[in-house]
Amino acid sequence: MREYAEASRAPNTWRAYQSDLRHFAAWCAERSLEPLPAAGVMVATYLADYAGTLSTATLQRRLYALSALHRAGGFDSPADAPEVQAVWSGIKRTHRMAPAQKA
């Protein structure tokens, strides 16, 4: 069962998720917060702190990583929280980048 679950994503995706989760845990540690389970307002603040600094693609992957971690731990995903959805929508509208066109 574990092998199939690990095969659900590419090895590079798992490595990126691990890096994302370490970054979130460090952000939480600086604020004396527990990273798991993360409240929606905490994740919304995290996203807002890095909006404009990190690409929206990176923030989206970090949000996916947090969601996957919470679901694997039996917790509700903070990505579903209304405050996260509102902040995420605002970030995407404000920092939207056009997709790169092929030549």
Side-chain angles (χ1 to χ4, degrees):
M1 183 174 84
R2 182 183 189 100
E3 288 177 26
Y4 287 124
E6 288 176 3
S8 68
R9 291 182 175 83
N12 284 342
T13 301
W14 287 119
R15 280 191 288 279
Y17 278 11
Q18 288 172 343
S19 173
D20 295 338
L21 295 172
R22 281 192 303 271
H23 188 267
F24 180 70
W27 181 87
C28 289
E30 289 173 2
R31 289 155 183 79
S32 301
L33 300 170
E34 288 295 323
L36 195 65
V41 70
M42 190 165 85
V43 173
T45 303
Y46 171 76
L47 293 172
D49 279 356
Y50 290 100
T53 303
L54 298 174
S55 73
T56 54
T58 298
L59 289 174
Q60 183 174 41
R61 191 192 65 228
R62 288 188 175 175
L63 191 54
Y64 287 159
L66 285 169
S67 183
L69 174 68
H70 279 73
R71 289 192 174 123
F75 301 107
D76 290 335
S77 170
D80 298 332
E83 56 271 31
V84 173
Q85 291 294 312
V87 168
W88 181 236
S89 291
I91 289 170
K92 288 189 299 183
R93 282 182 57 86
T94 304
H95 301 285
R96 177 177 291 159
M97 290 181 58
Q101 282 190 325
K102 292 189 175 193

